[in-house]
Amino acid sequence: MMCENFHNLIASRHQARDVSTSDVTVLRDAVMQLIASHQDVNQLLSEASSIVADGEPACDAERPEKKARKNQSSLDLDLDAISVYQCISVLKQRAHLTACPLSISAATFCAQKLVEISSRCPGSWLHDKDQKSVSVIIDVIKKLIEEDDFNKQGFVAIICKRELANVGILWMLHLSSIFTLSDFITASVRSPAIVTAFTANLAEVCIDGGDDADAVSRLLAYVVDKAFGDAESEVEDSTRVKKVLMAILSKVLGRVLDFVRFSDQLSWKNPFAWIFDGEILDRTPCKAFQTHAIKFMLGYKCSVKASAAVSEQCLWTSGKTSEALRSLFDTLCLSFEADELASILKAVLDNHEVNWQLLLCFSTFYLLHFQDAPRLLTSIITCSLAHAFEQLEEEDMLTAFLLARQASLEGTHVFPTYDSWFTKTFREPHTLARTKKSFAFFVRFLAQLVPYETHVPFLKVQITRLPFVPPKCRSLLADYVALAKTRLLDLHVPAEELNMLTTSTSVSTSASTSVSHAAKDQLVERAEQDVNKFVAAFEKNGKIPPAIIETSILHKPFYVGKLLPALLKPRPLPGQPDSLVRLIEALKAADKIPASMYSGYRKGCEREMQQLVSGVFESDDEDLSIPPMQQLQHSVQKLQRTVSGKAEGKKTVSELLSVISERTQAVAAIKTGTITFPQTCDIITLDEEIPEDEKINMQIVDVLLNGFCKMVVTPTQNSDSETLKGAPQYVAMLSGFAGLQPALYRQLMSLICTEVALHDHHLQGLARLLMLIANTGSDFRLARLHITTECKSFTDVIAASLPTFTKSSMIKTLKLCALILDYALGHAEERSGLRSERSSDNLFINVPEDFVRKFAYLVPRLCTEARSSACRTPSVSVDTALGTRWQEMVLRLWRLQPIHLMVQKSIMSFEEWAVSEMRVVLNEDYLDGVSRQDYFAWVVHTRFIPALSQHGGCDGSHAKACSIVFEALLKDAASSSFGSSKEKWRTHFRGTPCQPERTMGGRGQSRVLLLLLLQELLCLLPPAQESWLLGEFQQLLLVGGRAKQQAEVVAFVGILQHLPAYLLFCNKPCDWTEEQSLTRFRHFVNVTRLYCYDAVGLDSNLTATICKGMTLTEGQSSPFAGLLLVKLLESEPVLTGSVMLHWCQLSTSLLDLCYVHKAKHLETVFKEMDAMQQLATRVLEDGEAIKSPPAQSWLLAISLFSQLRATASDHAWLRSGGAQQDMQVMESLMLCFAAELILSTETLQVLALSSAVALKQPPCLCVFDKRSANTIKSHLLTDLQLKMLPWAFFRLKSITSTMNCHNSNSLV
C-alpha cells in the first residue's frame, strides 16, 4: 500500500512539473562548473574528444593523421597565427565534439591559456608576443560575451584557483572591463597566497620599470584610488578590500625602498612619479597615499639603531644618497607644502619608531628642496630640545642632535654650521641647561655619544665651543672633555693637535684655537714619502723593512696617526696583488695593523671597487680615481649646467651645493689635515702676506668664483628662476667657510681693485656676488686694509678701495657700480613688486654708500649727457671706450628716480671729488686736456659751488670752495697716501698693482690741475678785512699733534709758493689798510720758523714769498700800507734776519719788484740791506776792519755768515792776522756758525769755518754762556738750537784745541 502511494506521489510530481529546456541547460552548466572547479577540464575535454574520434569508422588510411590534426587544433592553438574568428570557430567545434556548452568550454580554455602565459613570465611585465596572445584571448572573450556564450563565473573561479597573479595580464583584463582589479581582490581576499603573489609581482614590475612604466604607474594609480579614495565602492566587503589594497601598497613600497636605498642604477624609472599627475589621480587619494607612504617609509625596518646613526650619519648626506631614493622622496613630497611635511615629520618623531637612515636622508632632502624648511626644521629641533630638557628625555635630545648634525653637513646655504648651532644653542642667553640637574643630563648625554662618534669635527666643536657651565658643574664638563679627547686619540687625531685644544672650563665662552697646519702638512708629506720608500724596499726582497718595525715601536703616535692612514688609503685593488697589497698583508700577519683599521681599509677598498665598476656618480660625473680638486671643479660645472637647464641629472641646485660644500672640505683636508675650516671671528687684515698653508684655499676660491660667475651669467632655460635661487644659496654656502674667507677677500680685491682686465660676464658675476655678500651680512667676517684702519664689512672695504686712477680702472669701476645698482634695483623690485611703492632707503638698504658715491662721480665725468639735468632722452656720445651698450645702461640708471634719490643722499662731496681728481694719472685719464677743463668748469661752478653743504657743496661761497680745494691739496702734500700702508695691500695681490713711481708722477700732474683750479677760484674771492689764507692757517693749527702739524705746516708753505703772495696779508691787495691783520701774520712767521727754517732764519723760498707779498701789497694799496709793512719788517728780527741771510739770492728780484710796483718804503729798507751786504763783502775781501753801529751788528754778522757759508774759506779776512774786531759782530757770527753746526749735515766745512772764526777772535766763544745776551740768541734761534748750544760749544772747543796744538808744533 505504501509502495503504491509512493509511486502515485512520484507520478503526481512528474505530472506537476513541466521540465523545460532551460532547466536542463542550467543543470548542465552547474555540473560543468562543478567539474571545472575540481578537475582539469582540458584533460577531460581531450579524453572526450579522443573517445568520440575513436568511435567514428575509419573511412580511409589517413584517419589517424586527421585525428591528430583535429586534436591539435582543438587543444594547442597558436594564438599568434590565427584570428579571433578562427579561434572562436575552433572553440565551437570542440564544444560540439565534446557535447560541452560553448560558454563552459571557452571560459575554461581562455582561463587555462592565461594561466599558461602567466607561468612563462611570473614576475615581470608581459613581453610583446605574450601581450599579443593575451589581446587575442581578450578579444575572443569580448566576442563570446556579446554572443552570450561565455561563463564569466567559471572563468574567474579557474583564475583564482590556479593563482594567476601576473599584473600585466590582470591589468589588461581590467582595462577590457572583463575582470577588474577590484573583482580580483574581492575574489582573492580570502586567499592570502594569491594576494601575496600579486604583491610580489607588482613590486617586481615597479623595480624593473622598463618601457611599460606608464602602464605600471596607471595600475598603481588605480590601486591607490581604490585604497585611499573616498568614493563608495559597489564591491561587497569594501572596507576589507581597502585594507588589503593598503597592505599591498605598503609591501610594494617596502620592496621598492629595499631596492632604492642601495641602488646605483641611474636608469630606474620611478613608477610613482606618474601616478600623481592630476589627470590620472585626484588630489585627495593622492595626498592620503603620500602621507601614508612617508610615515610608512620613515618607520620601515627600524633596524638602524641610534648608535649606528651617530656613527654613520656622515654617509647619509644628500651627495651620497642614491638617485633612486631621491627620486622617490621627490615623488612623495610633490603635493605638500613645507609646513605640512614638517607636521608629518614631527608626528613621526613623536609617535613612531623610526628608521634613522631613511629619516635623516629624508630630512636632508626636505631641507634642500623647500624654501621654508630650514626655519621649520630648526623649530622641530628647538621643540625637541625643550621637551628633552623639560622631561630629561634622552630620545628627544638624540633627535635634536641627529637632525642638527645632519642639516649642518649640507652646507651653510641651508643650515648653520654645527659650530654655530652648538654655540648659539648651549651658550648664554639661549641655553636650556642652566641648572645643575639639566646640565648633568646634558653632559651625560654627550658622554653617551662619545663611544659612537666617528666625525672628528663634531667632537672638536663640543670641546672647543664649551657650553655655559652652571656653578659647581665644572668637574662634570672637565670629565667629558677628557673623555672626548680620549676618543679623538682613538680616531687618530695627532696628540699635538689635542694639546692645542682648549681645556679651560672656568668660563662659558671660549674661542677655538687654530691648529698649525704647516707642522701637520710636514708630517703628512713625511708619511707619504716613507710609504713610498717602504714599498720600494719590500718590493726588492719581499721582507718587511726594519724601519717600519722601528717606527711602530719608537714613534707609535706618528705610526698610528700618520703612517698607517697613508699606507691604508682605500683604492680599487688590482686583480693581482701588487707590492703595496703584499706589504699590507705582511704587516697584518705580523700584527702591526690594528684590526679596526684593517677592517676599515678592506671596506673602503670594496667600496672604491664597487664605485669604480657601477659608478657612484651620475653618468657625466668623474670616478673616485681623479683628484679631489677635479671632483670639485666637475661639481661646479654640473651646477652651471643645472642652472642653465642643460644638465642630464635630476639633482637640484641645493643638492649640488651640498655636494660642492662637501668636496670643498675634502680638498682642504688634503692640505690641512682637517675636514672643516677653522671657524673664527677674527678680523681679516688684507695687507698681510698670504700664509703658505693658505695657498690651497686660493685655488679653491678660484674654482668657486669661476663657477659662480658662469652660473649667474649663463643663459638659462628656466626664466632665471634657478639662477635667482642658486646664487643666494651659493653665497650662503661660502659664508660657512670662515677659514676660506681671507683667500676669498684677497682674491676679490685682486680682481676688482687692481689693473686686472675683466670681461663683462666676470663683472656681472662679481657684482652679484658682492651684493649677495652685503645681503648676507654678519655671516661674513669683518675686514680692514691695514691693522691701523677701521674694521668694516668687506663690501664697504672694497667699495672704498675701488680705483679711479686710470681710464681702464674708471671704466671697470663704473661698470661694477652700475651692475650693483641695477642688481639691487631688480632685487628690490622682485621683493616689492612695484618700484614706486618703496622708498630709496629701503630699496638700496644693503648697497654700500661708496658704490653709489663712485657711480655719481664717474657718470658725469665719463658721460657728457649726464651733465645736463634737462636731458631726458637717451643719447650716445662719440667716445666708444665705454661702449654703447654700457653707456645706455649707465644713463638709464642715472635717470631712474630711485637711483637719482639715492645719488642725492650719497653724493660725493667737493672735498672727496678733489681728492679723487688728484689721484688720477693724467697721461692715462679717460678725458683729454680740453674735455677735462670742460668737466672741471661744469662740476665746480655748476654742481658743487651752488649746492648746499649738506649735499656736498659750498653754499654758493667761493671762499669755501677755495678752502676745500686748499685743504685737499694740503692733506695730499702732507701725506704719502700713494705708497703708504693704506695702499700696501695692492702689492700682495695678483695682477698689475698701481706702481708708486707711476702713480706719483700722475698725481703730481693732477695736483697741478688742482692748483690751477685754486688759483682760478682765488681770483673770485670777495674783499675781506682779514686774509683768507691766514684764516686757513689758523684752522690748520687747531687739530692734530706736533708731527702732523709739522707735516701740514711744511705742506702749507709749499702750496703757498704757488699762490699769489699778497694772500698772506689780504684777499685783494688794493683793499688792505688794516694794521690788526698783521697780528695773524706775525703768528704765522713765529710758527713757520719752527719747521721751515735755515740756520738763523726762515728758509729762502718762504722768505722770498713773504717779501714778494709785502712788495705787492704796498704797491697796490695806500701809502699807509707801506709804512705798516716797514714797521713790521723792522719789528720782527726773524723777518729782517731772514731777508739778510738770503739777500744774495733776493736782492736783484726784490729791488726790481719794488721799482715796478712803486713800493718806495720797502725799497728804502731793502737798499739799506744791500749796503750792509756790500760792507760785509768789503770786510771779507779787503780785510777792512769791522766798524758798525751796535744795533746793526747782528745783521752784519748774518751777512758775513751768509757769504762765508756760500764761498767757504777763500776770503782774505779769514787769512788775515788776529786784528781786533767788533766783539758783538764776532759773537753773532759765532752763533750763526753754531746754529749751522747743529742743523747741517756737512759738519766738516762748518767746523772749519767756525774754528777759523774762533781762532781769529777767541773771546767770541763767551757767547755760549747762558748769561750772555744777543739778538740772534734771543730772537732767531729755535728752542732746539738753544738746547744744543752746549753740544756745539764742546765740539768747537775740541776742534780748536787740536788746531792750536798743530800750530804750536809747526812753530817749534
Side-chain angles (χ1 to χ4, degrees):
M1 187 66 180
M2 287 183 64
C3 185
E4 292 179 0
N5 292 335
F6 179 76
H7 283 289
N8 293 334
L9 178 62
I10 293 299
S12 63
R13 288 179 61 85
H14 280 285
Q15 292 174 2
R17 183 180 178 185
D18 184 15
V19 180
S20 63
T21 307
S22 62
D23 292 335
V24 175
T25 304
V26 170
L27 178 61
R28 184 176 57 189
D29 290 345
V31 172
M32 295 305 298
Q33 183 176 346
L34 181 63
I35 294 173
S37 300
H38 298 280
Q39 300 292 333
D40 189 342
V41 180
N42 245 0
Q43 185 177 356
L44 293 177
L45 292 176
S46 177
E47 293 176 359
S49 299
S50 300
I51 294 170
V52 173
D54 291 340
E56 294 179 359
C59 300
D60 53 342
E62 297 180 358
R63 177 69 63 183
E65 290 78 5
K66 184 177 181 181
K67 180 180 66 174
R69 287 196 303 270
K70 186 181 296 185
N71 292 339
Q72 179 68 23
S73 64
S74 63
L75 297 175
D76 297 325
L77 297 177
D78 186 1
L79 297 175
D80 294 334
I82 64 174
S83 64
V84 174
Y85 293 100
Q86 289 174 335
C87 183
I88 293 176
S89 176
V90 171
L91 290 175
K92 288 181 178 180
Q93 181 183 3
R94 188 174 64 172
H96 175 70
L97 292 174
T98 59
C100 179
L102 177 60
S103 60
I104 300 298
S105 176
T108 304
F109 170 79
C110 292
Q112 291 292 347
K113 277 294 182 182
L114 291 178
V115 171
E116 180 183 341
I117 294 173
S118 176
S119 63
R120 293 201 297 266
C121 46
S124 62
W125 203 261
L126 297 176
H127 302 298
D128 293 340
K129 181 179 180 180
D130 294 328
Q131 284 187 2
K132 185 175 181 182
S133 300
V134 173
S135 298
V136 172
I137 293 174
I138 289 175
D139 291 340
V140 168
I141 295 174
K142 286 182 177 180
K143 188 67 177 177
L144 292 174
I145 290 176
E146 289 177 0
E147 297 174 0
D148 198 19
D149 282 332
F150 188 79
N151 189 338
K152 185 176 180 181
Q153 188 176 3
F155 175 78
V156 171
I158 295 174
I159 285 180
C160 292
K161 180 184 177 183
R162 300 296 296 273
E163 298 182 1
L164 189 151
N166 185 282
V167 291
I169 296 175
L170 292 173
W171 181 243
M172 294 181 70
L173 291 174
H174 170 83
L175 293 177
S176 63
S177 301
I178 296 174
F179 183 46
T180 65
L181 287 177
S182 296
D183 297 336
F184 172 75
I185 297 298
T186 303
S188 306
V189 73
R190 291 178 175 83
S191 301
I194 300 178
V195 175
T196 301
F198 173 77
T199 304
N201 290 340
L202 180 58
E204 192 67 27
V205 297
C206 288
I207 293 173
D208 289 343
D211 298 332
D212 301 295
D214 185 26
V216 176
S217 297
R218 292 183 179 275
L219 187 155
L220 287 174
Y222 178 83
V223 175
V224 169
D225 186 46
K226 292 300 179 181
F228 294 93
D230 295 332
E232 294 184 0
S233 176
E234 298 177 356
V235 181
E236 297 180 2
D237 202 7
S238 61
T239 303
R240 186 169 183 178
V241 170
K242 282 192 172 186
K243 290 181 179 180
V244 171
L245 291 174
M246 291 176 64
I248 291 174
L249 288 172
S250 297
K251 290 183 179 180
V252 169
L253 186 61
R255 288 285 304 277
V256 171
L257 281 173
D258 290 333
F259 168 75
V260 300
R261 283 168 64 188
F262 309 104
S263 172
D264 293 323
Q265 294 185 17
L266 302 174
S267 59
W268 180 66
K269 295 183 179 180
N270 182 4
F272 294 95
W274 297 84
I275 69 175
F276 302 121
D277 189 346
E279 299 177 357
I280 299 178
L281 191 62
D282 291 338
R283 180 177 177 81
T284 300
C286 170
K287 203 165 186 179
F289 169 70
Q290 288 172 319
T291 303
H292 167 78
I294 292 174
K295 291 181 178 180
F296 172 82
M297 174 185 63
L298 298 182
Y300 177 69
K301 288 188 178 180
C302 304
S303 57
V304 180
K305 297 182 180 179
S307 58
V310 174
S311 301
E312 300 176 9
Q313 67 177 138
C314 296
L315 304 176
W316 302 338
T317 59
S318 175
K320 297 175 182 177
T321 303
S322 68
E323 182 69 31
L325 184 57
R326 287 200 303 269
S327 173
L328 185 60
F329 287 159
D330 187 33
T331 300
L332 297 180
C333 297
L334 196 62
S335 303
F336 294 101
E337 299 294 336
D339 54 346
E340 295 175 318
L341 284 175
S343 300
I344 295 174
L345 186 59
K346 185 72 167 60
V348 170
L349 289 170
D350 290 342
N351 305 314
H352 301 277
E353 190 177 359
V354 298
N355 181 319
W356 281 111
Q357 180 182 6
L358 288 172
L359 186 136
L360 293 178
C361 290
F362 179 79
S363 69
T364 60
F365 176 88
Y366 170 64
L367 190 67
L368 295 173
H369 288 76
F370 292 87
Q371 185 174 359
D372 293 334
R375 175 181 58 84
L376 296 169
L377 190 62
T378 303
S379 177
I380 293 175
I381 294 171
T382 303
C383 292
S384 298
L385 281 177
H387 188 265
F389 279 105
E390 181 181 353
Q391 303 293 330
L392 301 182
E393 181 61 52
E394 292 183 354
E395 289 187 5
D396 289 327
M397 182 72 80
L398 179 66
T399 298
F401 266 77
L402 287 176
L403 288 176
R405 288 182 172 190
Q406 194 69 29
S408 69
L409 292 173
E410 299 303 324
T412 51
H413 60 289
V414 288
F415 197 82
T417 62
Y418 185 68
D419 186 326
S420 301
W421 175 82
F422 190 85
T423 302
K424 182 179 180 180
T425 305
F426 298 108
R427 286 191 181 178
E428 289 187 303
H430 305 288
T431 181
L432 297 174
R434 294 181 175 276
T435 64
K436 183 177 180 179
K437 184 178 181 181
S438 60
F439 186 78
F441 161 73
F442 174 57
V443 174
R444 184 173 64 252
F445 168 76
L446 292 180
Q448 291 176 354
L449 295 183
V450 168
Y452 309 105
E453 297 278 16
T454 57
H455 195 52
V456 172
F458 289 161
L459 268 179
K460 284 185 178 179
V461 166
Q462 290 162 190
I463 293 177
T464 57
R465 301 297 189 185
L466 298 182
F468 169 78
V469 183
K472 301 181 181 180
C473 294
R474 293 171 185 169
S475 60
L476 294 174
L477 185 59
D479 293 341
Y480 167 72
V481 170
L483 180 63
K485 285 190 173 184
T486 303
R487 179 58 180 166
L488 287 173
L489 283 174
D490 295 339
L491 295 173
H492 313 301
V493 175
E496 61 271 16
E497 183 176 342
L498 287 179
N499 292 333
M500 300 186 70
L501 297 176
T502 179
T503 57
S504 173
T505 59
S506 58
V507 291
S508 61
T509 59
S510 62
S512 63
T513 306
S514 61
V515 180
S516 174
H517 298 314
K520 293 192 295 181
D521 294 342
Q522 294 176 2
L523 292 175
V524 172
E525 292 175 2
R526 175 188 161 190
E528 292 175 351
Q529 294 172 2
D530 289 349
V531 167
N532 295 332
K533 293 178 182 178
F534 296 153
V535 172
F538 181 82
E539 191 172 2
K540 291 181 180 179
N541 53 20
K543 296 181 180 180
I544 298 176
I548 295 184
I549 306 299
E550 179 182 347
T551 304
S552 66
I553 298 174
L554 301 180
H555 306 285
K556 190 169 183 178
F558 171 75
Y559 177 77
V560 176
K562 297 297 181 184
L563 186 62
L564 284 183
L567 183 68
L568 300 176
K569 281 185 178 179
R571 63 183 182 122
L573 296 178
Q576 294 294 330
D578 56 9
S579 300
L580 179 58
V581 174
R582 294 198 303 271
L583 174 60
I584 292 173
E585 295 300 329
L587 289 173
K588 177 64 173 64
D591 200 21
K592 290 297 180 181
I593 300 178
S596 59
M597 295 187 71
Y598 182 79
S599 175
Y601 162 73
R602 297 297 300 182
K603 290 181 180 178
C605 291
E606 292 174 1
R607 184 170 59 252
E608 294 282 338
M609 180 58 72
Q610 180 183 1
Q611 291 169 349
L612 184 64
V613 174
S614 60
V616 66
F617 300 104
E618 296 182 12
S619 58
D620 57 342
D621 272 358
E622 72 285 357
D623 58 42
L624 292 180
S625 62
I626 67 174
M629 180 63 77
Q630 294 184 22
Q631 295 182 21
L632 175 62
Q633 292 172 347
H634 186 89
S635 298
V636 172
Q637 293 169 3
K638 183 169 180 58
L639 176 64
Q640 176 192 345
R641 294 195 300 270
T642 298
V643 170
S644 63
K646 299 177 181 179
E648 298 178 359
K650 300 179 181 179
K651 286 187 177 180
T652 63
V653 170
S654 296
E655 290 175 320
L656 288 172
L657 285 174
S658 295
V659 174
I660 292 173
S661 176
E662 185 175 346
R663 292 183 178 175
T664 300
Q665 296 183 21
V667 175
I670 296 175
K671 188 69 178 174
T672 63
T674 176
I675 59 174
T676 56
F677 292 103
Q679 302 292 322
T680 60
C681 298
D682 298 335
I683 296 166
I684 299 173
T685 304
L686 296 174
D687 70 343
E688 293 178 348
E689 296 287 348
I690 301 174
E692 190 65 27
D693 57 353
E694 284 190 13
K695 296 298 178 63
I696 187 67
N697 290 356
M698 297 296 290
Q699 299 177 25
I700 296 173
V701 166
D702 283 340
V703 173
L704 295 178
L705 284 181
N706 284 328
F708 181 85
C709 292
K710 291 178 181 179
M711 180 186 73
V712 299
V713 301
T714 301
T716 175
Q717 301 175 6
N718 300 322
S719 304
D720 234 12
S721 60
E722 287 293 331
T723 303
L724 293 175
K725 176 184 176 183
Q729 291 185 345
Y730 199 107
V731 175
M733 178 201 70
L734 289 177
S735 68
F737 299 122
L740 196 63
Q741 289 174 18
L744 174 65
Y745 289 1
R746 291 187 175 97
Q747 192 71 315
L748 287 175
M749 292 290 286
S750 70
L751 291 172
I752 296 173
C753 298
T754 61
E755 297 291 335
V756 175
L758 297 176
H759 296 292
D760 289 348
H761 67 272
H762 287 140
L763 283 173
Q764 294 174 26
L766 294 176
R768 180 163 290 189
L769 176 64
L770 289 176
M771 271 309 303
L772 289 171
I773 291 176
N775 293 335
T776 306
S778 60
D779 292 338
F780 283 88
R781 295 160 61 182
L782 297 178
R784 58 190 174 192
L785 283 180
H786 183 62
I787 195 170
T788 59
T789 56
E790 182 184 359
C791 302
K792 301 178 182 178
S793 67
F794 173 68
T795 49
D796 288 331
V797 172
I798 201 170
S801 305
L802 288 176
T804 55
F805 310 146
T806 62
K807 177 179 181 178
S808 59
S809 63
M810 288 180 186
I811 292 175
K812 183 165 75 170
T813 297
L814 178 58
K815 288 180 178 180
L816 184 71
C817 293
L819 288 168
I820 286 176
L821 293 179
D822 190 48
Y823 173 73
L825 183 66
H827 190 62
E829 288 176 353
E830 181 189 352
R831 294 194 310 263
S832 61
L834 294 175
R835 181 188 307 120
S836 59
E837 293 181 1
R838 295 179 65 90
S839 67
S840 61
D841 288 340
N842 294 330
L843 203 61
F844 302 98
I845 190 170
N846 292 323
V847 178
E849 259 190 35
D850 281 318
F851 284 125
V852 183
R853 189 175 288 111
K854 293 192 176 181
F855 178 79
Y857 163 63
L858 290 173
V859 172
R861 197 182 196 282
L862 274 59
C863 305
T864 56
E865 294 86 349
R867 301 175 193 171
S868 174
S869 59
C871 180
R872 294 298 175 189
T873 58
S875 59
V876 180
S877 64
V878 179
D879 183 60
T880 57
L882 183 61
T884 303
R885 182 177 68 87
W886 281 104
Q887 189 156 347
E888 290 177 350
M889 173 190 176
V890 166
L891 292 175
R892 174 180 61 82
L893 289 172
W894 181 256
R895 296 183 177 98
L896 287 177
Q897 185 66 17
I899 301 288
H900 179 70
L901 295 176
M902 190 65 184
V903 166
Q904 292 299 320
K905 294 180 180 180
S906 305
I907 194 169
M908 182 178 285
S909 66
F910 190 25
E911 181 179 3
E912 293 171 333
W913 174 85
V915 172
S916 299
E917 286 298 328
M918 278 191 294
R919 295 188 174 188
V920 175
V921 181
L922 213 58
N923 55 357
E924 298 184 29
D925 190 8
Y926 185 90
L927 303 174
D928 56 26
V930 176
S931 301
R932 191 183 305 108
Q933 290 298 327
D934 293 342
Y935 168 66
F936 272 35
W938 172 81
V939 77
V940 174
H941 297 287
T942 305
R943 180 172 176 178
F944 284 120
I945 291 181
L948 299 177
S949 57
Q950 57 264 33
H951 295 156
C954 305
D955 296 322
S957 170
H958 287 86
K960 188 171 183 179
C962 292
S963 300
I964 291 173
V965 176
F966 185 81
E967 184 177 355
L969 287 167
L970 186 65
K971 290 181 178 179
D972 179 70
S975 64
S976 55
S977 57
F978 288 83
S980 69
S981 61
K982 294 181 181 179
E983 299 291 333
K984 191 176 77 174
W985 56 269
R986 297 183 188 275
T987 61
H988 296 303
F989 301 142
R990 295 180 300 179
T992 305
C994 294
Q995 299 296 336
E997 59 274 5
R998 168 190 173 198
T999 314
M1000 285 294 291
R1003 191 187 72 168
Q1005 297 173 4
S1006 299
R1007 187 189 297 129
V1008 171
L1009 294 180
L1010 266 293
L1011 281 170
L1012 293 175
L1013 175 63
L1014 179 59
Q1015 293 173 3
E1016 176 188 343
L1017 293 174
L1018 288 172
C1019 297
L1020 302 176
L1021 280 176
Q1025 294 181 352
E1026 297 183 354
S1027 167
W1028 164 84
L1029 186 61
L1030 292 182
E1032 293 299 313
F1033 186 76
Q1034 294 294 327
Q1035 292 295 323
L1036 179 150
L1037 300 177
L1038 295 178
V1039 293
R1042 181 176 178 84
K1044 181 180 179 182
Q1045 187 180 95
Q1046 177 180 357
E1048 292 188 345
V1049 168
V1050 173
F1052 184 94
V1053 173
I1055 297 173
L1056 173 62
Q1057 297 168 19
H1058 302 282
L1059 302 179
Y1062 60 78
L1063 290 173
L1064 285 170
F1065 303 95
C1066 56
N1067 293 349
K1068 302 287 184 181
C1070 57
D1071 299 328
W1072 185 75
T1073 57
E1074 292 292 332
E1075 184 177 3
Q1076 296 178 353
S1077 63
L1078 294 180
T1079 303
R1080 285 191 173 183
F1081 177 75
R1082 289 190 178 95
H1083 180 65
F1084 167 76
V1085 172
N1086 291 329
V1087 173
T1088 54
R1089 68 185 287 265
L1090 300 176
Y1091 308 115
C1092 305
Y1093 51 83
D1094 204 333
V1096 285
L1098 303 174
D1099 68 9
S1100 59
N1101 292 329
L1102 180 57
T1103 303
T1105 302
I1106 292 174
C1107 293
K1108 182 180 178 181
M1110 296 172 69
T1111 304
L1112 292 174
T1113 303
E1114 181 189 356
Q1116 298 182 27
S1117 300
S1118 62
F1120 177 70
L1123 295 175
L1124 290 178
L1125 293 173
V1126 170
K1127 182 179 178 181
L1128 170 68
L1129 189 60
E1130 294 176 346
S1131 62
E1132 288 292 331
V1134 175
L1135 277 180
T1136 310
S1138 300
V1139 175
M1140 196 73 253
L1141 180 65
H1142 305 294
W1143 184 253
C1144 294
Q1145 298 92 348
L1146 301 178
S1147 58
T1148 303
S1149 60
L1150 285 181
L1151 290 174
D1152 290 345
L1153 196 64
C1154 289
Y1155 176 78
V1156 171
H1157 290 279
K1158 300 179 180 180
K1160 296 182 179 179
H1161 297 88
L1162 287 175
E1163 184 178 12
T1164 302
V1165 176
F1166 291 154
K1167 285 182 178 180
E1168 292 177 356
M1169 291 186 176
D1170 189 62
M1172 186 72 70
Q1173 180 73 19
Q1174 294 176 9
L1175 174 61
T1177 303
R1178 292 195 301 274
V1179 169
L1180 293 175
E1181 293 180 354
D1182 302 334
E1184 181 178 335
I1186 297 176
K1187 294 180 181 179
S1188 63
Q1192 301 292 328
S1193 61
W1194 63 279
L1195 282 177
L1196 179 59
I1198 292 176
S1199 181
L1200 290 170
F1201 167 73
S1202 175
Q1203 295 188 49
L1204 285 171
R1205 184 176 64 172
T1207 58
S1209 59
D1210 296 332
H1211 295 285
W1213 181 67
L1214 288 176
R1215 298 192 301 270
S1216 63
Q1220 185 68 26
Q1221 302 293 334
D1222 189 311
M1223 185 59 65
Q1224 292 184 0
V1225 174
M1226 298 302 291
E1227 288 179 356
S1228 298
L1229 184 59
M1230 179 55 68
L1231 280 175
C1232 291
F1233 278 111
E1236 178 73 6
L1237 181 63
I1238 293 171
L1239 301 177
S1240 177
T1241 58
E1242 300 178 359
T1243 55
L1244 294 178
Q1245 178 184 350
V1246 177
L1247 281 172
L1249 291 172
S1250 58
S1251 299
V1253 173
L1255 290 174
K1256 188 175 184 67
Q1257 190 75 30
C1260 69
L1261 293 175
C1262 67
V1263 76
F1264 290 102
D1265 190 351
K1266 291 183 179 181
R1267 295 169 294 181
S1268 64
N1270 188 282
T1271 302
I1272 293 179
K1273 183 188 289 187
S1274 303
H1275 297 91
L1276 272 68
L1277 297 185
T1278 63
D1279 292 339
L1280 175 63
Q1281 290 171 319
L1282 290 173
K1283 293 177 180 179
M1284 294 293 292
L1285 280 178
W1287 174 84
F1289 169 75
F1290 286 107
R1291 188 72 187 278
L1292 284 172
K1293 185 178 179 182
S1294 62
I1295 295 297
T1296 305
S1297 300
T1298 304
M1299 294 180 68
N1300 286 332
C1301 293
H1302 177 71
N1303 293 337
S1304 300
N1305 293 333
S1306 298
L1307 291 174
V1308 173

